[in-house]
Amino acid sequence: QQKVQQSPESLSVPEGGMASLNCTSSDRNFQYFWWYRQHSGEGPKALMSIFSDGDKKEGRFTAHLNKASLHVSLHIRDSQPSDSALYFCAASDNSNNRIFFGDGTQLVVKP
Amino acid sequence: GGIITQTPKFLIGQEGQKLTLKCQQNFNHDTMYWYRQDSGKGLRLIYYSITENDLQKGDLSEGYDASREKKSSFSLTVTSAQKNEMAVFLCASSKLGDYAEQFFGPGTRLTVL
């Protein structure tokens, strides 16, 4: 069973709109969460990490973590066409130096 | 800063052929990873190496071998290429620790004829 599930699979928002991406995990041992972004033809790049319950804001990006419900989300305010990419949620459980990636959400921001 | 270099960028092989992909990093990171990504989908871990003399199997290790030649380099061998494994192979590295960010290379795209 996939340890990290993401929804939706794909998302289309207008330029200037809000994009909301969701992620849930099935492993209560997960303590560290990340969002990675992959533009077409490139390798993924870490966007932000979140390790504590609550919100973390970096510019137009806000991540929210609720460890009790094993849910993490990413909200992109004032979405830009350059935000169009594949977004991965990832999590780790502090035991074996690996992180588990979800299958990704494909975001398209239409001008 | 640093960079991860993957060679070759494109690799074309025949079915049944043994093929090797190479990865170099200059971050001085302890841990290195190989992932496979099928056509814009998720990342599946093939092998990883926590420190220079370590090798760990991931979720997709069957049909692959890996070798950590030195701290900065990690290679992946497809032991017998199959048509259903055409994909992009991504190398990554990180500092030691589960909270550490992974840095990815640009990938090697494998085509099997």
Side-chain angles (χ1 to χ4, degrees):
Chain A
Q1 182 191 359
Q2 187 84 351
K3 289 199 173 194
V4 177
Q5 294 91 35
Q6 290 186 242
S7 64
E9 282 189 26
S10 62
L11 178 63
S12 179
V13 299
E15 184 175 356
M18 172 77 83
S20 295
L21 290 67
N22 296 293
C23 174
T24 56
S25 65
S26 59
D27 191 331
R28 291 210 162 270
N29 294 315
F30 284 156
Q31 298 181 35
Y32 308 112
F33 297 84
W34 293 263
W35 285 98
Y36 281 75
R37 180 169 72 178
Q38 184 181 29
H39 286 109
S40 182
E42 299 178 4
K45 186 174 180 180
L47 193 57
M48 56 193 302
S49 61
I50 184 164
F51 301 159
S52 303
D53 279 339
D55 290 338
K56 182 178 181 181
K57 185 176 178 182
E58 292 185 0
R60 297 184 293 109
F61 299 85
T62 301
H64 175 80
L65 173 60
N66 182 328
K67 286 189 180 181
S69 62
L70 300 176
H71 182 260
V72 60
S73 58
L74 178 69
H75 305 276
I76 307 172
R77 172 179 59 82
D78 188 24
S79 297
Q80 301 298 308
S82 58
D83 295 328
S84 297
L86 185 58
Y87 288 77
F88 292 107
C89 172
S92 76
D93 62 6
N94 198 32
S95 67
N96 55 11
N97 275 93
R98 63 168 291 183
I99 62 175
F100 295 84
F101 286 86
D103 282 341
T105 292
Q106 183 70 54
L107 173 65
V108 175
V109 180
K110 294 186 175 179
Chain B
I3 192 167
I4 294 184
T5 304
Q6 291 189 238
T7 54
K9 191 171 176 64
F10 299 96
L11 181 57
I12 300 174
Q14 299 291 326
E15 197 168 20
Q17 192 176 358
K18 183 176 177 180
L19 302 166
T20 299
L21 294 70
K22 293 190 180 292
C23 176
Q24 295 264 357
Q25 54 97 359
N26 64 0
F27 288 98
N28 199 33
H29 284 162
D30 287 295
T31 307
M32 296 186 74
Y33 308 82
W34 276 107
Y35 293 91
R36 173 176 151 178
Q37 184 176 31
D38 294 339
S39 189
K41 297 200 182 295
L43 308 176
R44 290 189 283 176
L45 183 64
I46 306 172
Y47 270 98
Y48 65 114
S49 170
I50 298 174
T51 56
E52 188 173 342
N53 297 311
D54 174 77
L55 192 62
Q56 304 280 338
K57 291 184 178 181
D59 304 318
L60 195 68
S61 61
E62 189 170 335
Y64 302 95
D65 286 327
S67 175
R68 185 83 181 266
E69 295 85 8
K70 51 186 177 180
K71 188 175 183 179
S72 62
S73 67
F74 193 32
S75 61
L76 179 73
T77 298
V78 181
T79 56
S80 177
Q82 303 298 315
K83 286 193 176 182
N84 64 1
E85 66 187 329
M86 290 194 293
V88 173
F89 291 82
L90 293 160
C91 176
S93 72
S94 72
K95 292 180 181 178
L96 200 60
D98 296 280
Y99 51 84
E101 175 184 346
Q102 292 189 13
F103 293 81
F104 284 82
T108 291
R109 183 174 293 276
L110 174 64
T111 300
V112 182
L113 302 177

